[in-house]
Amino acid sequence: MRVTVVGDPVAGAAAGEPAAEHTVEVPAATTLAALLPQVVPAVVPPVAAGGADVVLLLRHGGDWLGMHSATTGTRVLRDPERTVAELDPPRVRLEPWPGVDASLLLEELALGRLPDRAALADLAGDGWRRRWEAEERALGTVDGTARLLDADVVEALADVGATVLAHGPGHARVEDAAGSSYVVRCDRQGGAVSRLDADGLERPVAAVATRPDAGAGAGGPTARRALAATLAALLGTTWREQRGLEPAPPPAPTRDTRVEVARGGGVWGWSWSDAAGRHEGRFAADGAMAAATAAYARLEPADVVAHLTAPAADGGGDPSRP
């Protein structure tokens, strides 16, 4: 089946220069996960003139499918199992996002959000990432009360072998029982957890959001606690795996809080509401992770850890604990 690949001109190209068009022949049953890495090389040479790295958004019609850059490679972030036969028309457009930090765009797209291009470009260079780096350098002078993770959360995470390596008002770096590192961030829009890969790049794992009127401060206190509970569930699951324990049964639901897990726009997530507002978690294409953490997000982080480390007779799973 023939797929048309369109590469928009990069910023600074001559006025009126047409977009480069190429075609690739693939079987109709080819998935997006297999297709998109093939279409990028067909257009990247004319787009990335002079060898400069260009961040590209991969689109089909008005929808986005993923991204490409030299630092992130080609990332298929929505409906990776969709086939070429389902593309109507079979046409993929590579849209340059000049001046945008590829890792920032990846973080947003991996959590199912298409950010504003101009706003994202404004965050490059001396934007928010530099602000958190400055926080890490000044940790010795940060007031102990002005931390993203409350003291009881840090204590709870220690019970599942996690160590807080760096801690500021808007972010934290945490190492789990297996030695993997996570970055946790929270602002007025909510918070996110990313795992650091072998190259030190942040790979988004989960995001937690709350309605704007649900609390104040960094994402609202409920958003911060829901984020911490989700982190505790992730780290607690690793703690169990390190000990060869079976997955813990989820905590029983409460009568006044109903957690729903659903897929929308190629992204899996959970949601629930209480007196503070509506809360949402997003886990990209990972439905299993969304389902595994949904039951914990409404709990206090210490309660999450207690459930995951309880003796086997109590429904948790570490028989070595009294």
Side-chain angles (χ1 to χ4, degrees), residues 3 5 24 26 30-41 65 74 76 82-84 87 92:
V3 179
V5 186
V24 295
V26 295
T30 303
T31 64
L32 291 183
L35 171 69
L36 296 187
Q38 296 182 52
V39 306
V40 171
L65 306 173
T74 302
V76 185
R82 188 179 179 187
T83 65
V84 171
L87 294 181
V92 176

mmCIF file of all heavy atoms in Angstrom, residues 3 5 24 26 30-41 65 74 76 82-84 87 92:
data_model
loop_
_atom_site.group_PDB
_atom_site.id
_atom_site.type_symbol
_atom_site.label_atom_id
_atom_site.label_comp_id
_atom_site.label_asym_id
_atom_site.label_seq_id
_atom_site.Cartn_x
_atom_site.Cartn_y
_atom_site.Cartn_z
ATOM 1 N N VAL A 3 1.886 5.007 0.906
ATOM 2 C CA VAL A 3 1.643 6.051 1.893
ATOM 3 C C VAL A 3 2.398 7.302 1.461
ATOM 4 O O VAL A 3 3.606 7.255 1.188
ATOM 5 C CB VAL A 3 2.109 5.623 3.300
ATOM 6 C CG1 VAL A 3 1.866 6.749 4.302
ATOM 7 C CG2 VAL A 3 1.398 4.356 3.740
ATOM 8 N N VAL A 5 4.111 10.777 2.242
ATOM 9 C CA VAL A 5 4.763 11.426 3.379
ATOM 10 C C VAL A 5 5.067 12.863 2.987
ATOM 11 O O VAL A 5 5.751 13.115 1.989
ATOM 12 C CB VAL A 5 6.060 10.701 3.775
ATOM 13 C CG1 VAL A 5 6.629 11.311 5.055
ATOM 14 C CG2 VAL A 5 5.802 9.211 3.958
ATOM 15 N N VAL A 24 6.099 5.885 0.411
ATOM 16 C CA VAL A 24 6.677 4.621 0.853
ATOM 17 C C VAL A 24 5.659 3.525 0.592
ATOM 18 O O VAL A 24 4.453 3.738 0.725
ATOM 19 C CB VAL A 24 7.064 4.659 2.349
ATOM 20 C CG1 VAL A 24 8.177 5.662 2.591
ATOM 21 C CG2 VAL A 24 5.866 4.991 3.227
ATOM 22 N N VAL A 26 4.279 -0.055 1.734
ATOM 23 C CA VAL A 26 4.263 -0.995 2.858
ATOM 24 C C VAL A 26 3.011 -1.863 2.759
ATOM 25 O O VAL A 26 2.018 -1.448 2.134
ATOM 26 C CB VAL A 26 4.269 -0.256 4.222
ATOM 27 C CG1 VAL A 26 5.564 0.512 4.429
ATOM 28 C CG2 VAL A 26 3.071 0.659 4.330
ATOM 29 N N THR A 30 0.572 -3.124 7.961
ATOM 30 C CA THR A 30 1.650 -2.506 8.727
ATOM 31 C C THR A 30 1.071 -1.578 9.799
ATOM 32 O O THR A 30 0.187 -0.774 9.525
ATOM 33 C CB THR A 30 2.567 -1.690 7.806
ATOM 34 O OG1 THR A 30 3.081 -2.545 6.784
ATOM 35 C CG2 THR A 30 3.726 -1.074 8.589
ATOM 36 N N THR A 31 1.555 -1.702 11.011
ATOM 37 C CA THR A 31 1.073 -0.851 12.101
ATOM 38 C C THR A 31 1.793 0.488 12.091
ATOM 39 O O THR A 31 2.863 0.631 11.496
ATOM 40 C CB THR A 31 1.291 -1.523 13.461
ATOM 41 O OG1 THR A 31 2.707 -1.681 13.678
ATOM 42 C CG2 THR A 31 0.612 -2.894 13.522
ATOM 43 N N LEU A 32 1.200 1.468 12.796
ATOM 44 C CA LEU A 32 1.861 2.767 12.918
ATOM 45 C C LEU A 32 3.216 2.625 13.596
ATOM 46 O O LEU A 32 4.163 3.345 13.269
ATOM 47 C CB LEU A 32 0.973 3.732 13.701
ATOM 48 C CG LEU A 32 -0.319 4.198 13.029
ATOM 49 C CD1 LEU A 32 -1.029 5.208 13.922
ATOM 50 C CD2 LEU A 32 -0.045 4.804 11.666
ATOM 51 N N ALA A 33 3.303 1.703 14.564
ATOM 52 C CA ALA A 33 4.566 1.506 15.271
ATOM 53 C C ALA A 33 5.675 1.106 14.307
ATOM 54 O O ALA A 33 6.842 1.458 14.495
ATOM 55 C CB ALA A 33 4.401 0.437 16.354
ATOM 56 N N ALA A 34 5.318 0.371 13.252
ATOM 57 C CA ALA A 34 6.311 -0.041 12.258
ATOM 58 C C ALA A 34 6.438 0.968 11.126
ATOM 59 O O ALA A 34 7.514 1.130 10.546
ATOM 60 C CB ALA A 34 5.929 -1.413 11.682
ATOM 61 N N LEU A 35 5.352 1.679 10.820
ATOM 62 C CA LEU A 35 5.357 2.614 9.696
ATOM 63 C C LEU A 35 6.145 3.884 9.962
ATOM 64 O O LEU A 35 6.979 4.296 9.148
ATOM 65 C CB LEU A 35 3.920 2.983 9.323
ATOM 66 C CG LEU A 35 3.771 4.124 8.303
ATOM 67 C CD1 LEU A 35 4.250 3.674 6.926
ATOM 68 C CD2 LEU A 35 2.340 4.642 8.260
ATOM 69 N N LEU A 36 5.854 4.546 11.087
ATOM 70 C CA LEU A 36 6.408 5.890 11.297
ATOM 71 C C LEU A 36 7.932 5.936 11.296
ATOM 72 O O LEU A 36 8.520 6.873 10.748
ATOM 73 C CB LEU A 36 5.830 6.494 12.570
ATOM 74 C CG LEU A 36 4.311 6.734 12.537
ATOM 75 C CD1 LEU A 36 3.857 7.501 13.767
ATOM 76 C CD2 LEU A 36 3.889 7.480 11.275
ATOM 77 N N PRO A 37 8.635 4.965 11.892
ATOM 78 C CA PRO A 37 10.100 5.014 11.784
ATOM 79 C C PRO A 37 10.589 4.897 10.339
ATOM 80 O O PRO A 37 11.705 5.318 10.031
ATOM 81 C CB PRO A 37 10.548 3.805 12.617
ATOM 82 C CG PRO A 37 9.443 3.609 13.609
ATOM 83 C CD PRO A 37 8.186 3.917 12.834
ATOM 84 N N GLN A 38 9.753 4.345 9.439
ATOM 85 C CA GLN A 38 10.141 4.243 8.031
ATOM 86 C C GLN A 38 9.912 5.541 7.270
ATOM 87 O O GLN A 38 10.655 5.864 6.348
ATOM 88 C CB GLN A 38 9.342 3.122 7.340
ATOM 89 C CG GLN A 38 9.602 1.731 7.870
ATOM 90 C CD GLN A 38 8.814 0.691 7.092
ATOM 91 O OE1 GLN A 38 8.863 0.634 5.868
ATOM 92 N NE2 GLN A 38 8.070 -0.147 7.806
ATOM 93 N N VAL A 39 8.873 6.291 7.645
ATOM 94 C CA VAL A 39 8.553 7.492 6.877
ATOM 95 C C VAL A 39 9.474 8.654 7.209
ATOM 96 O O VAL A 39 9.715 9.516 6.364
ATOM 97 C CB VAL A 39 7.075 7.909 7.076
ATOM 98 C CG1 VAL A 39 6.138 6.763 6.761
ATOM 99 C CG2 VAL A 39 6.823 8.456 8.468
ATOM 100 N N VAL A 40 9.990 8.687 8.428
ATOM 101 C CA VAL A 40 10.834 9.827 8.809
ATOM 102 C C VAL A 40 12.084 9.940 7.948
ATOM 103 O O VAL A 40 12.382 11.026 7.432
ATOM 104 C CB VAL A 40 11.190 9.765 10.308
ATOM 105 C CG1 VAL A 40 12.240 10.815 10.653
ATOM 106 C CG2 VAL A 40 9.944 9.973 11.156
ATOM 107 N N PRO A 41 12.849 8.853 7.715
ATOM 108 C CA PRO A 41 14.057 9.005 6.890
ATOM 109 C C PRO A 41 13.773 9.473 5.467
ATOM 110 O O PRO A 41 14.649 10.058 4.820
ATOM 111 C CB PRO A 41 14.645 7.576 6.885
ATOM 112 C CG PRO A 41 14.117 6.957 8.131
ATOM 113 C CD PRO A 41 12.727 7.505 8.278
ATOM 114 N N LEU A 65 0.222 11.822 15.873
ATOM 115 C CA LEU A 65 0.515 10.414 16.098
ATOM 116 C C LEU A 65 1.745 10.198 16.969
ATOM 117 O O LEU A 65 1.834 9.215 17.686
ATOM 118 C CB LEU A 65 0.740 9.698 14.762
ATOM 119 C CG LEU A 65 -0.361 9.842 13.715
ATOM 120 C CD1 LEU A 65 0.088 9.220 12.407
ATOM 121 C CD2 LEU A 65 -1.645 9.190 14.209
ATOM 122 N N THR A 74 12.295 8.362 16.757
ATOM 123 C CA THR A 74 10.894 8.404 16.358
ATOM 124 C C THR A 74 10.056 7.733 17.434
ATOM 125 O O THR A 74 10.290 6.580 17.771
ATOM 126 C CB THR A 74 10.669 7.680 15.013
ATOM 127 O OG1 THR A 74 11.487 8.293 14.017
ATOM 128 C CG2 THR A 74 9.213 7.765 14.599
ATOM 129 N N VAL A 76 6.232 6.710 18.562
ATOM 130 C CA VAL A 76 4.818 6.536 18.213
ATOM 131 C C VAL A 76 4.037 6.564 19.522
ATOM 132 O O VAL A 76 4.193 5.679 20.359
ATOM 133 C CB VAL A 76 4.584 5.211 17.479
ATOM 134 C CG1 VAL A 76 3.136 5.104 17.019
ATOM 135 C CG2 VAL A 76 5.528 5.096 16.292
ATOM 136 N N ARG A 82 -2.641 0.660 15.302
ATOM 137 C CA ARG A 82 -3.473 1.020 14.160
ATOM 138 C C ARG A 82 -2.728 0.694 12.869
ATOM 139 O O ARG A 82 -1.519 0.895 12.768
ATOM 140 C CB ARG A 82 -3.780 2.512 14.228
ATOM 141 C CG ARG A 82 -4.791 3.019 13.220
ATOM 142 C CD ARG A 82 -4.985 4.510 13.451
ATOM 143 N NE ARG A 82 -5.930 5.108 12.523
ATOM 144 C CZ ARG A 82 -6.168 6.405 12.431
ATOM 145 N NH1 ARG A 82 -5.513 7.235 13.243
ATOM 146 N NH2 ARG A 82 -7.043 6.882 11.573
ATOM 147 N N THR A 83 -3.434 0.203 11.841
ATOM 148 C CA THR A 83 -2.775 -0.226 10.613
ATOM 149 C C THR A 83 -2.862 0.841 9.524
ATOM 150 O O THR A 83 -3.693 1.752 9.578
ATOM 151 C CB THR A 83 -3.397 -1.519 10.074
ATOM 152 O OG1 THR A 83 -4.761 -1.262 9.691
ATOM 153 C CG2 THR A 83 -3.356 -2.615 11.132
ATOM 154 N N VAL A 84 -2.006 0.680 8.526
ATOM 155 C CA VAL A 84 -2.002 1.599 7.398
ATOM 156 C C VAL A 84 -3.356 1.568 6.692
ATOM 157 O O VAL A 84 -3.844 2.597 6.211
ATOM 158 C CB VAL A 84 -0.867 1.229 6.420
ATOM 159 C CG1 VAL A 84 -0.971 2.038 5.134
ATOM 160 C CG2 VAL A 84 0.487 1.439 7.079
ATOM 161 N N LEU A 87 -5.732 4.197 7.780
ATOM 162 C CA LEU A 87 -5.449 5.606 7.531
ATOM 163 C C LEU A 87 -6.213 6.061 6.285
ATOM 164 O O LEU A 87 -6.003 5.528 5.189
ATOM 165 C CB LEU A 87 -3.947 5.833 7.312
ATOM 166 C CG LEU A 87 -3.017 5.570 8.501
ATOM 167 C CD1 LEU A 87 -1.584 5.877 8.098
ATOM 168 C CD2 LEU A 87 -3.418 6.386 9.706
ATOM 169 N N VAL A 92 0.812 10.953 5.816
ATOM 170 C CA VAL A 92 1.413 11.370 7.084
ATOM 171 C C VAL A 92 2.190 12.656 6.834
ATOM 172 O O VAL A 92 2.945 12.756 5.867
ATOM 173 C CB VAL A 92 2.350 10.286 7.649
ATOM 174 C CG1 VAL A 92 3.034 10.786 8.924
ATOM 175 C CG2 VAL A 92 1.586 9.001 7.920
#
